[in-house]
Amino acid sequence: MSLLKVVPLGGLGEFGMNCLALQYDDDIIVIDAGMMFPEAELLGVDIVTPDFTFLEENQEKVRGLILTHGHEDHIGAVPFLLSQIGIPVYGTAFTLALVERRLEEHEMLAEADLRRVKPGDRVELGPFKIEFIHVTHSIVSCVALAITTPLGVVLHTGDFKVDPTPTDNILFDLHSLAEYGKRGVLLLLSDSTNVDRAGYTPSERAVQPRLQEIFNRAERRIVISCFSSSIHRLQQILDLSAEMGRKVAFLGRSMLSCTEIAHNLGLLTIHDNLLLRPQDIMSTPPSKTVVVASGTQGEPMSAMSRIAVDNHKNISLERGDTVVLSARQIPGNERPISRMLNHVAKRGADVVVGAMNPPVHVSGHASAEELKLVLNLVRPRYFVPIHGEYWQMSKHAALASHLHSQGLEETYVLETGQTLEIDHHGARRGERVTVGRICIDSGTIDEVVEDMVIRDRRHLSEDGFVIPIIAIDKHTGKSEGLPEIVSRGFVSLDETSELMQGARQIVARTLEVSSEEERTDWGVMQEKIRADLKRYLNKQTQRRPLIMPVILEV
Amino acid sequence: MSLLKVVPLGGLGEFGMNCLALQYDDDIIVIDAGMMFPEAELLGVDIVTPDFTFLEENQEKVRGLILTHGHEDHIGAVPFLLSQIGIPVYGTAFTLALVERRLEEHEMLAEADLRRVKPGDRVELGPFKIEFIHVTHSIVSCVALAITTPLGVVLHTGDFKVDPTPTDNILFDLHSLAEYGKRGVLLLLSDSTNVDRAGYTPSERAVQPRLQEIFNRAERRIVISCFSSSIHRLQQILDLSAEMGRKVAFLGRSMLSCTEIAHNLGLLTIHDNLLLRPQDIMSTPPSKTVVVASGTQGEPMSAMSRIAVDNHKNISLERGDTVVLSARQIPGNERPISRMLNHVAKRGADVVVGAMNPPVHVSGHASAEELKLVLNLVRPRYFVPIHGEYWQMSKHAALASHLHSQGLEETYVLETGQTLEIDHHGARRGERVTVGRICIDSGTIDEVVEDMVIRDRRHLSEDGFVIPIIAIDKHTGKSEGLPEIVSRGFVSLDETSELMQGARQIVARTLEVSSEEERTDWGVMQEKIRADLKRYLNKQTQRRPLIMPVILEV
């Protein structure tokens, strides 16, 4: 009997690295392949991607990768997935252009098979018939997916909000959603990010009054930092600048490439003679310029960070300039952002951040009332909340409870790795598949960091290390003199400190009291020394450094 | 000529560890001695306090410590300061009770000289006449300080908001502020924490509609976690519980001690028969109970964290229970808080967090309009914004600019360590004094962590360590065999890996090509080996582990 399997590979019960596979018998499609910016506790790790083992093990079944939009948590792992399995990638023009940029960095663009789609298009991949439906979000060219399978329609919202007044006037395609809902939807998968916010998320246009006020008040240069993919935001800044007679310069690699991509695709309208070359910023009257820079999160090498410390070749902040941070502060980045703003303030510029009311930033994710609207339009038989922490998906599940009278049979709160199976009898939780996080140290594909290395780094970061070194004469089997001890990051130890002398005595004693037999087994000796030293150091200092005895045969 | 010096020792241009000294000739008073919770980058550090060197060097001049209120960022370093200089401590009853708790933990209570004051009281310390003025904030019993010196009045606001409807109906004493303003204030020091918020901070009572709704809707047990010192919040929860016929149990050590202190001081009204003993929670009908637990930030051993993972002896969450997080999520704590909420959701309880609208938490700090009100009432001759990042203090300075027509001569944005001097001619920036952060590893007073140790930990946390060990025969001066290399947290290396073999060859080569003279100087050899190995490893792996060559004479 035929079986539809929903296989979440990332983003359910965690924030970021969204990836989900749908399997119908011997065919699989993958929806999104995102990355996650590592938590602070993943020390030294730069990028985290899902573990694609499930897809690798089933690679002859995988028909393609479908992308809903171009944010990093949906496309950031595409190079890593494609390096493991070569499959065609479907997405809108803007989404694919952002993917191309990433593939180029990894020198993988030549062999990639990218297939451009637009809202309303239908693609057939084995038993899956996929229709792309336009939705509104903080990035342009986003789609939801209506995936018709022999068992019924699976509707995947991607990320969205229901913006009633999008800046490009391309409305969320509620009609298509309604149409599918009318005909019957088997399963809805819907974005849970902002489920804890009551009411409606403000339209992207809500930032306009505040930007207007800033433009009205600013007598000198305006520097705005926003996400380079926020084309809606950039369009508003461009329009306002044109209206107010200011020229606009873009600064930062990603800002330059994103605006170029969007402009080439006709997604960003740039008025004639509006643009200012970066090298002309300082020679143009401050009251006639706007600078748009990437680096909203205080990234050390970004344009905005370099501007803040007066280390950008094209601009030097001056007293009376206005610096606007038009972006969300991603948790964990508060310190670098604060540091950047402090530097800006020290240069005498006025700082405007998103927290202020009215806002210079609004969220791109649907609040509770919008989520209910989508639930009510789609009226699915089964519902699986996606994209969020477990508690957010649970809240989203609760939002759907009134639909039980409208045909909703069951809501499943799944976590990454927990599959759902649907056949002619209905849906049930299936087996767990292998999932996990792959930690990557520097942007390259090879450098996977193993969990053990990260565990060691965490341990080292808390209490440092202590390494006792014992030289053993290979002829006599006896140790030579008192053991050496080296240590870093533990406590300030000098050679002569009591603690250090005590530690050396402990190691020497352990050697002494061990039997001849133990002493010939270095593994045993290392373990004994580690245990004794750990007890001693912990008692003396209440700390637990990483202890790693080294026995040298000399 | 007589000189008044303002000496910020903490909290100006940084968040937390507020401490400021006022010196008039040979007399010094200290206002607050707070701690800072360490940033994630201070690896393994538990507490950060200001460097009190300035006070130690002038200890015969220091007349006393004045506390504005009982939050940790104002009192947390009191034990550390008192262990260095024995001075009397002035504060309101509630503030001192919280200080006593801390001193007891350090077994310092017996020798402490704590002097209780109340709003309206005046204390004379050398040339300083200090009047305590009641202000509203998220904790009870807060005061501003009007400090009369021979040169004029210094007004220090402490932390505050202007709550028009405080839950205890004790209003912010605007009259006293106005009175001082009318008579003339030399210098205003005012809280900048929320300067970027427009309008007014909502009254503490603003959480009531939301709490009311939660109580109305909840059919089963309600568990609320809030800061244990938020007596206003606790009073509202108690009142609502009494009204709705629910009994209240307090859980968590700090929750039990804070409520006991507040109750004993008459600051918290507990209705008859309202309290429920923790051991009776599970035997009371769920619809008749409210549990108030400490641990809003997901602290691992806190009551709330233990409840979340069903590891609390007095309560087990059940499907349909409601868990409310009525507190701010302090930046950096998002992960542990999210993890805690996920566990709560998995146990089937409904999660309500502060982000929702209407709020279950409001800030205790004044927004822009309240800050202007205080500026306008006080009309100081000089103004120094305090408590905030540099960019926030800059914004606060800009808020005062309209007062130049009202007698404001100058605003100074100072950072910790930057003094201000005032004499009969007026004010000017003075010299810098020694300031800094003292990092403390575990709550005890002795365990100061030096910067070098933290730098090492950071380095270790990013790329781990590599230690080449060279055994040199003390008779021949030659090295014995190939060097050993031990490493952790770097990359997964096994003995036989190419990288490891290459590294050993590099070290051996460095030894070979060194001159006889170099080889006898171990310092030189260590440096050469470090440099060569660093170059090699960086080229092979793009990483920079901590490299620490060890030369053993055997």
Side-chain angles (χ1 to χ4, degrees), chain A residues 41 43 196 198 334-335 338-339 342 346 351 356-357 389-391 395 415 441 450 456-457 461-462 465 484 488-490 543 548 552, chain B residues 41 43-44 196 198 334-335 338-339 342 346 350-351 356-357 389-391 395 415 441 456-457 461-462 465 484 488-490 543 548 552:
Chain A
E41 59 203 56
L43 298 158
D196 64 317
E334 294 88 353
R335 285 304 310 154
S338 239
R339 245 178 251 133
N342 290 341
K346 280 180 195 171
V351 173
M356 284 178 244
N357 195 10
E389 297 280 349
Y390 192 93
W391 70 270
K395 280 199 100 64
E415 284 180 287
D441 252 8
E450 290 176 32
D456 283 346
R457 287 183 192 166
S461 79
E462 284 163 3
F465 67 80
E484 286 296 319
R488 289 296 274 275
F490 169 47
R543 304 203 74 74
M548 193 177 167
L552 278 190
Chain B
E41 60 204 55
L43 299 157
D196 64 318
E334 293 88 353
R335 284 304 312 155
S338 238
R339 245 179 250 135
N342 290 341
K346 282 181 193 171
D350 187 25
V351 172
M356 283 177 246
N357 194 12
E389 297 281 349
Y390 192 94
W391 71 269
K395 280 198 100 63
E415 284 180 287
D441 252 8
D456 283 346
R457 287 182 191 166
S461 79
E462 284 163 3
F465 67 79
E484 286 294 319
R488 288 297 274 273
F490 169 47
R543 303 203 74 75
M548 195 177 164
L552 278 189

Coordinates of all heavy atoms in Angstrom, one line a residue, chain A residues 41 43 196 198 334-335 338-339 342 346 351 356-357 389-391 395 415 441 450 456-457 461-462 465 484 488-490 543 548 552, chain B residues 41 43-44 196 198 334-335 338-339 342 346 350-351 356-357 389-391 395 415 441 456-457 461-462 465 484 488-490 543 548 552:
Chain A
E41 N 27.6 28.4 22.3 CA 28.2 27.3 23.0 C 28.9 26.3 22.0 O 29.7 25.4 22.4 CB 27.2 26.5 23.8 CG 26.0 26.0 23.1 CD 24.8 25.8 24.0 OE1 24.4 26.7 24.7 OE2 24.3 24.6 24.0
L43 N 31.7 26.4 20.2 CA 32.8 27.3 20.2 C 33.6 27.2 18.9 O 34.0 26.1 18.5 CB 33.6 27.0 21.4 CG 32.9 27.2 22.7 CD1 33.5 26.4 23.8 CD2 32.8 28.7 23.0
D196 N 3.7 33.5 19.2 CA 3.4 34.0 20.5 C 3.1 35.5 20.4 O 2.8 36.1 21.5 CB 4.6 33.9 21.4 CG 5.9 34.6 20.9 OD1 6.1 34.5 19.7 OD2 6.5 35.2 21.8
A198 N 0.4 38.3 19.6 CA -1.1 38.5 19.4 C -1.3 39.3 18.2 O -0.4 40.1 17.7 CB -1.7 39.1 20.6
E334 N 23.9 40.9 20.7 CA 23.6 42.1 21.4 C 25.0 42.9 21.7 O 25.1 44.1 21.6 CB 22.8 42.0 22.7 CG 21.4 41.5 22.5 CD 21.3 40.0 22.4 OE1 22.3 39.3 22.4 OE2 20.2 39.5 22.4
R335 N 26.0 42.1 22.2 CA 27.2 42.7 22.6 C 27.9 43.4 21.4 O 28.2 44.6 21.4 CB 28.2 41.8 23.3 CG 27.8 41.4 24.7 CD 27.7 42.6 25.6 NE 28.9 43.5 25.5 CZ 28.8 44.8 25.8 NH1 27.7 45.4 26.2 NH2 29.9 45.6 25.7
S338 N 26.0 46.5 20.3 CA 26.1 47.6 21.3 C 27.5 48.2 21.1 O 27.6 49.5 21.1 CB 26.0 47.0 22.7 OG 24.9 47.7 23.4
R339 N 28.5 47.4 20.9 CA 29.8 48.0 20.8 C 29.9 48.9 19.5 O 30.5 49.9 19.6 CB 30.9 46.8 20.6 CG 31.8 46.8 21.8 CD 32.8 45.6 21.6 NE 32.5 44.6 22.6 CZ 32.4 43.3 22.4 NH1 32.6 42.8 21.2 NH2 32.1 42.4 23.4
N342 N 28.1 52.1 20.2 CA 28.9 53.0 21.0 C 30.0 53.7 20.2 O 30.2 54.9 20.4 CB 29.6 52.2 22.1 CG 28.6 51.6 23.2 OD1 27.5 52.1 23.3 ND2 29.0 50.6 23.9
K346 N 30.3 57.7 19.8 CA 31.5 58.5 20.1 C 31.9 59.3 19.0 O 32.6 60.3 19.2 CB 32.6 57.5 20.5 CG 32.4 57.0 21.9 CD 33.5 56.0 22.3 CE 33.0 55.3 23.6 NZ 33.9 54.2 24.0
V351 N 22.1 57.9 17.1 CA 21.8 56.5 16.9 C 20.3 56.2 16.9 O 19.7 56.6 17.9 CB 22.5 55.6 17.9 CG1 22.1 54.1 17.8 CG2 24.0 55.7 17.8
M356 N 12.8 51.3 19.0 CA 12.1 52.5 19.2 C 10.7 52.4 18.6 O 10.5 51.7 17.6 CB 12.8 53.7 18.7 CG 13.9 54.1 19.6 SD 14.9 55.4 18.9 CE 16.4 54.6 18.7
N357 N 9.8 53.2 19.0 CA 8.5 53.2 18.6 C 8.1 54.6 18.1 O 8.4 55.6 18.8 CB 7.6 52.9 19.9 CG 6.2 52.5 19.5 OD1 5.9 52.4 18.3 ND2 5.3 52.5 20.5
E389 N 10.7 26.7 17.9 CA 11.0 25.9 19.0 C 9.8 25.0 19.3 O 8.6 25.4 18.9 CB 11.2 26.9 20.2 CG 12.4 27.8 20.1 CD 13.7 27.1 20.4 OE1 13.7 25.9 20.9 OE2 14.8 27.7 20.0
Y390 N 10.0 24.0 20.1 CA 8.9 23.1 20.5 C 7.7 23.8 21.1 O 6.6 23.6 20.7 CB 9.4 22.0 21.4 CG 8.4 20.9 21.5 CD1 8.5 19.7 20.7 CD2 7.4 20.9 22.4 CE1 7.6 18.7 20.8 CE2 6.5 19.9 22.6 CZ 6.6 18.8 21.7 OH 5.7 17.8 21.8
W391 N 8.0 24.8 22.0 CA 6.9 25.5 22.7 C 6.1 26.3 21.7 O 4.9 26.5 21.9 CB 7.4 26.2 23.9 CG 8.2 27.5 23.6 CD1 9.6 27.5 23.5 CD2 7.8 28.8 23.5 NE1 10.0 28.8 23.3 CE2 8.9 29.6 23.3 CE3 6.5 29.4 23.5 CZ2 8.8 31.0 23.0 CZ3 6.4 30.8 23.3 CH2 7.5 31.6 23.1
K395 N 2.1 25.9 20.7 CA 1.2 27.0 20.8 C 0.4 27.1 19.4 O -0.8 27.3 19.4 CB 1.9 28.4 21.0 CG 2.2 28.7 22.4 CD 2.5 30.2 22.6 CE 1.3 30.8 23.2 NZ 1.0 30.4 24.6
E415 N 9.2 16.8 16.0 CA 10.6 17.4 16.1 C 11.4 16.9 15.0 O 11.1 15.8 14.4 CB 11.2 17.1 17.4 CG 10.7 17.9 18.6 CD 11.4 17.5 19.9 OE1 11.1 16.4 20.4 OE2 12.2 18.3 20.4
D441 N 33.7 24.6 10.5 CA 34.5 25.6 11.1 C 34.7 26.8 10.3 O 34.7 27.9 10.8 CB 35.9 24.9 11.4 CG 36.1 24.7 12.9 OD1 35.1 24.9 13.6 OD2 37.2 24.3 13.3
E450 N 34.0 17.7 14.6 CA 33.3 16.7 15.3 C 32.8 17.1 16.6 O 33.4 18.0 17.3 CB 34.2 15.4 15.4 CG 34.4 14.8 14.0 CD 35.4 13.7 14.1 OE1 35.4 13.0 15.1 OE2 36.1 13.5 13.1
D456 N 35.5 19.3 23.7 CA 36.8 19.7 24.3 C 36.9 21.2 24.4 O 37.4 21.7 25.4 CB 37.9 19.1 23.4 CG 38.1 17.6 23.6 OD1 37.6 17.1 24.6 OD2 38.8 17.0 22.8
R457 N 36.5 21.9 23.3 CA 36.6 23.3 23.3 C 35.8 23.9 24.5 O 36.2 24.9 25.1 CB 36.2 23.9 22.0 CG 37.1 23.7 20.9 CD 36.6 24.3 19.6 NE 37.4 23.9 18.5 CZ 37.0 24.1 17.2 NH1 35.9 24.7 17.0 NH2 37.7 23.7 16.2
S461 N 37.2 26.0 27.5 CA 36.8 27.4 27.6 C 36.4 27.7 29.1 O 36.4 28.8 29.5 CB 35.7 27.7 26.7 OG 34.4 27.2 27.2
E462 N 36.0 26.7 29.8 CA 35.5 26.9 31.2 C 36.7 26.9 32.2 O 36.8 27.8 33.0 CB 34.4 25.9 31.5 CG 33.1 26.3 30.9 CD 32.2 25.1 30.9 OE1 32.5 24.0 31.4 OE2 31.1 25.3 30.2
F465 N 43.3 23.8 30.7 CA 43.8 22.5 30.8 C 45.0 22.4 31.7 O 45.7 23.4 32.0 CB 44.2 22.0 29.4 CG 45.3 22.7 28.7 CD1 46.7 22.4 29.1 CD2 45.1 23.7 27.8 CE1 47.7 23.0 28.5 CE2 46.2 24.3 27.2 CZ 47.5 24.0 27.5
E484 N 56.8 17.2 35.0 CA 56.5 18.5 34.6 C 55.0 18.7 34.5 O 54.3 17.8 34.2 CB 57.1 18.8 33.2 CG 58.6 19.0 33.1 CD 59.0 20.2 33.9 OE1 58.4 21.2 33.8 OE2 60.0 20.0 34.6
R488 N 47.2 26.0 30.9 CA 46.7 27.3 30.4 C 45.3 27.4 30.7 O 44.5 26.4 30.6 CB 47.0 27.5 28.9 CG 48.5 27.6 28.6 CD 49.1 28.9 29.1 NE 48.9 30.0 28.3 CZ 49.7 30.3 27.2 NH1 50.8 29.6 27.0 NH2 49.5 31.4 26.5
G489 N 44.8 28.6 30.9 CA 43.4 28.9 31.1 C 42.8 28.4 32.3 O 41.6 28.4 32.5
F490 N 43.6 27.9 33.3 CA 43.1 27.2 34.5 C 43.1 28.3 35.6 O 42.2 29.0 35.8 CB 44.0 26.0 34.7 CG 43.8 25.4 36.1 CD1 42.6 25.1 36.5 CD2 44.9 25.0 36.9 CE1 42.4 24.5 37.8 CE2 44.7 24.4 38.1 CZ 43.5 24.1 38.6
R543 N 37.7 23.8 40.7 CA 37.6 23.8 39.2 C 38.0 22.5 38.6 O 38.6 21.7 39.2 CB 38.4 25.0 38.6 CG 38.0 26.3 39.3 CD 38.4 27.5 38.4 NE 37.5 27.6 37.3 CZ 36.3 28.1 37.3 NH1 35.7 28.4 38.5 NH2 35.5 28.2 36.3
M548 N 45.2 15.9 31.0 CA 45.6 15.0 29.9 C 47.1 14.5 30.2 O 48.0 15.2 29.7 CB 45.5 15.8 28.6 CG 45.6 14.9 27.4 SD 45.4 16.1 26.0 CE 45.9 15.0 24.7
L552 N 56.2 10.0 28.4 CA 57.2 10.0 27.3 C 58.2 8.9 27.7 O 58.7 8.8 28.8 CB 57.9 11.3 27.3 CG 57.3 12.5 26.6 CD1 58.4 13.6 26.5 CD2 56.9 12.1 25.2
Chain B
E41 N 31.6 35.9 26.5 CA 33.0 35.8 26.1 C 33.9 35.7 27.3 O 35.1 35.4 27.1 CB 33.3 36.9 25.2 CG 33.1 38.3 25.8 CD 32.9 39.4 24.7 OE1 32.0 39.2 23.8 OE2 33.7 40.3 24.7
L43 N 34.8 33.5 29.5 CA 34.5 32.1 29.6 C 34.8 31.6 31.0 O 35.8 31.8 31.6 CB 35.4 31.4 28.6 CG 35.1 31.8 27.2 CD1 36.2 31.5 26.3 CD2 33.8 31.1 26.7
G44 N 33.8 30.9 31.6 CA 33.9 30.3 32.9 C 33.8 31.2 34.1 O 33.9 30.8 35.2
D196 N 16.1 54.8 24.7 CA 15.7 54.6 23.3 C 14.2 54.3 23.1 O 13.7 54.1 22.0 CB 16.6 53.6 22.6 CG 16.4 52.2 23.3 OD1 16.3 52.1 24.5 OD2 16.3 51.2 22.5
A198 N 10.4 55.5 23.2 CA 9.6 56.7 23.1 C 8.5 56.6 24.2 O 8.2 55.6 24.7 CB 9.0 56.8 21.7
E334 N 18.7 33.5 26.1 CA 17.6 33.0 25.2 C 17.6 31.5 25.1 O 16.5 30.9 25.1 CB 17.6 33.7 23.8 CG 17.4 35.2 23.8 CD 18.6 36.0 24.0 OE1 19.7 35.4 24.3 OE2 18.6 37.2 23.9
R335 N 18.8 30.9 24.9 CA 18.8 29.5 24.7 C 18.3 28.7 25.9 O 17.4 27.9 25.8 CB 20.2 29.0 24.3 CG 20.6 29.3 22.9 CD 19.7 28.7 21.8 NE 19.4 27.3 22.1 CZ 18.3 26.7 21.6 NH1 17.4 27.4 20.9 NH2 18.1 25.4 21.9
S338 N 14.6 29.1 26.2 CA 13.8 28.4 25.2 C 13.8 26.9 25.5 O 12.8 26.2 25.4 CB 14.5 28.6 23.9 OG 13.6 29.1 22.9
R339 N 15.0 26.4 26.0 CA 15.0 24.9 26.3 C 14.0 24.6 27.4 O 13.3 23.6 27.4 CB 16.5 24.6 26.7 CG 17.2 23.6 25.8 CD 18.6 23.4 26.3 NE 19.5 24.0 25.4 CZ 20.6 24.7 25.7 NH1 20.9 24.9 27.0 NH2 21.4 25.2 24.8
N342 N 10.5 24.6 26.1 CA 10.3 23.4 25.3 C 9.9 22.3 26.2 O 9.0 21.5 25.9 CB 11.5 23.1 24.5 CG 11.7 24.1 23.4 OD1 10.8 24.8 23.0 ND2 12.9 24.1 22.8
K346 N 6.4 20.2 26.3 CA 6.4 18.7 26.1 C 5.6 18.1 27.2 O 5.1 17.0 27.0 CB 7.8 18.2 26.1 CG 8.4 18.4 24.7 CD 9.8 17.8 24.6 CE 10.4 18.4 23.3 NZ 11.9 18.1 23.2
D350 N 0.5 24.9 28.8 CA 0.4 26.1 27.9 C 1.5 27.1 28.4 O 1.6 27.3 29.6 CB -1.0 26.7 28.0 CG -1.2 27.8 27.0 OD1 -0.5 27.8 26.0 OD2 -2.0 28.7 27.3
V351 N 2.2 27.6 27.4 CA 3.3 28.5 27.8 C 2.9 30.0 27.5 O 2.4 30.3 26.4 CB 4.6 28.2 27.0 CG1 5.7 29.3 27.2 CG2 5.1 26.8 27.3
M356 N 4.3 38.6 24.7 CA 3.0 38.7 24.1 C 2.3 40.0 24.5 O 2.7 40.7 25.5 CB 2.1 37.5 24.7 CG 2.5 36.3 23.9 SD 1.6 34.9 24.6 CE 3.0 34.0 25.2
N357 N 1.3 40.4 23.8 CA 0.7 41.6 23.9 C -0.8 41.3 24.2 O -1.4 40.6 23.5 CB 0.8 42.4 22.6 CG 0.4 43.9 22.8 OD1 0.3 44.3 23.9 ND2 0.3 44.5 21.7
E389 N 24.8 52.0 28.0 CA 25.9 51.9 27.0 C 26.2 53.4 26.6 O 25.4 54.2 26.8 CB 25.4 51.1 25.8 CG 25.1 49.7 26.1 CD 26.3 48.8 26.1 OE1 27.4 49.3 25.8 OE2 26.2 47.7 26.6
Y390 N 27.3 53.5 26.0 CA 27.7 54.9 25.6 C 26.7 55.5 24.7 O 26.3 56.7 24.8 CB 29.1 54.8 24.9 CG 29.7 56.2 24.7 CD1 30.6 56.7 25.6 CD2 29.3 57.0 23.6 CE1 31.1 58.0 25.4 CE2 29.8 58.3 23.4 CZ 30.7 58.8 24.3 OH 31.2 60.0 24.2
W391 N 26.1 54.7 23.7 CA 25.2 55.3 22.8 C 23.9 55.7 23.5 O 23.2 56.6 23.0 CB 24.9 54.3 21.6 CG 24.2 53.1 21.9 CD1 24.7 51.9 22.2 CD2 22.7 52.9 21.8 NE1 23.7 51.0 22.4 CE2 22.5 51.6 22.1 CE3 21.7 53.7 21.5 CZ2 21.2 51.0 22.1 CZ3 20.4 53.2 21.5 CH2 20.2 51.9 21.8
K395 N 22.3 59.5 23.7 CA 20.9 59.9 23.4 C 20.3 60.6 24.6 O 19.6 61.6 24.4 CB 20.1 58.6 23.2 CG 20.2 58.0 21.8 CD 19.1 57.0 21.5 CE 18.1 57.7 20.6 NZ 18.6 58.1 19.3
E415 N 32.6 58.0 30.6 CA 32.7 56.5 30.7 C 33.3 56.2 32.1 O 34.0 57.0 32.7 CB 33.5 56.0 29.6 CG 32.8 56.0 28.3 CD 33.6 55.4 27.2 OE1 34.6 56.0 26.8 OE2 33.4 54.2 26.8
D441 N 35.5 33.6 39.6 CA 35.2 32.3 39.0 C 34.0 31.6 39.7 O 33.1 31.1 39.1 CB 36.4 31.4 39.0 CG 37.0 31.2 37.6 OD1 36.5 31.9 36.7 OD2 37.9 30.4 37.5
D456 N 43.4 33.2 27.5 CA 43.7 31.8 27.1 C 42.5 31.0 26.9 O 42.4 30.2 26.0 CB 44.6 31.2 28.3 CG 46.0 31.7 28.2 OD1 46.4 32.3 27.2 OD2 46.7 31.5 29.2
R457 N 41.5 31.1 27.8 CA 40.3 30.3 27.7 C 39.6 30.6 26.3 O 39.1 29.7 25.7 CB 39.3 30.6 28.8 CG 39.8 30.0 30.1 CD 38.7 30.2 31.2 NE 39.3 29.9 32.5 CZ 38.7 30.3 33.6 NH1 37.6 31.0 33.6 NH2 39.2 29.9 34.8
S461 N 39.0 28.0 23.4 CA 37.6 27.7 23.1 C 37.4 27.8 21.6 O 36.5 27.2 21.0 CB 36.7 28.7 23.7 OG 36.6 29.9 23.1
E462 N 38.3 28.5 20.9 CA 38.1 28.7 19.4 C 38.8 27.6 18.7 O 38.2 27.0 17.7 CB 38.5 30.1 19.0 CG 37.5 31.1 19.4 CD 38.1 32.5 19.3 OE1 39.2 32.7 18.9 OE2 37.3 33.5 19.7
F465 N 44.2 23.5 21.6 CA 45.7 23.6 21.8 C 46.5 22.5 21.1 O 45.9 21.4 20.9 CB 46.0 23.7 23.3 CG 45.8 22.4 24.0 CD1 46.7 21.4 24.0 CD2 44.6 22.3 24.8 CE1 46.5 20.2 24.7 CE2 44.4 21.1 25.6 CZ 45.4 20.0 25.5
E484 N 57.0 14.4 20.6 CA 55.6 14.0 20.8 C 54.7 15.3 20.6 O 55.1 16.4 20.9 CB 55.3 13.6 22.2 CG 55.9 12.2 22.5 CD 55.2 11.1 21.8 OE1 53.9 11.2 21.7 OE2 55.8 10.2 21.3
R488 N 44.1 19.0 21.8 CA 42.7 18.8 22.1 C 42.0 20.0 21.6 O 42.5 21.1 21.6 CB 42.4 18.6 23.6 CG 42.9 17.3 24.2 CD 42.2 16.1 23.7 NE 40.9 15.9 24.3 CZ 40.8 15.1 25.4 NH1 41.9 14.6 26.0 NH2 39.6 14.9 26.0
G489 N 40.7 19.8 21.2 CA 39.9 20.9 20.7 C 40.3 21.6 19.4 O 39.8 22.6 19.0
F490 N 41.3 20.9 18.8 CA 41.8 21.6 17.5 C 41.2 20.9 16.3 O 40.1 21.4 15.9 CB 43.4 21.3 17.6 CG 44.1 21.7 16.3 CD1 43.8 22.9 15.6 CD2 45.0 20.8 15.8 CE1 44.5 23.1 14.5 CE2 45.7 21.1 14.6 CZ 45.4 22.2 13.9
R543 N 43.5 27.3 10.9 CA 43.2 27.5 12.3 C 44.4 27.9 13.1 O 45.5 27.6 12.7 CB 42.5 26.3 12.8 CG 41.2 25.9 12.0 CD 40.2 25.1 12.8 NE 39.5 25.9 13.7 CZ 38.5 26.8 13.4 NH1 38.1 27.0 12.2 NH2 37.9 27.5 14.3
M548 N 52.1 25.5 22.6 CA 52.9 25.7 23.8 C 53.9 24.6 23.9 O 53.7 23.6 24.4 CB 51.9 25.6 24.9 CG 52.4 26.1 26.2 SD 51.0 25.9 27.4 CE 52.0 26.0 28.9
L552 N 61.7 19.1 27.7 CA 62.0 18.3 28.9 C 63.5 17.9 28.9 O 63.9 17.4 27.9 CB 61.2 17.1 29.0 CG 59.7 17.1 29.4 CD1 59.2 15.6 29.5 CD2 59.6 17.8 30.7

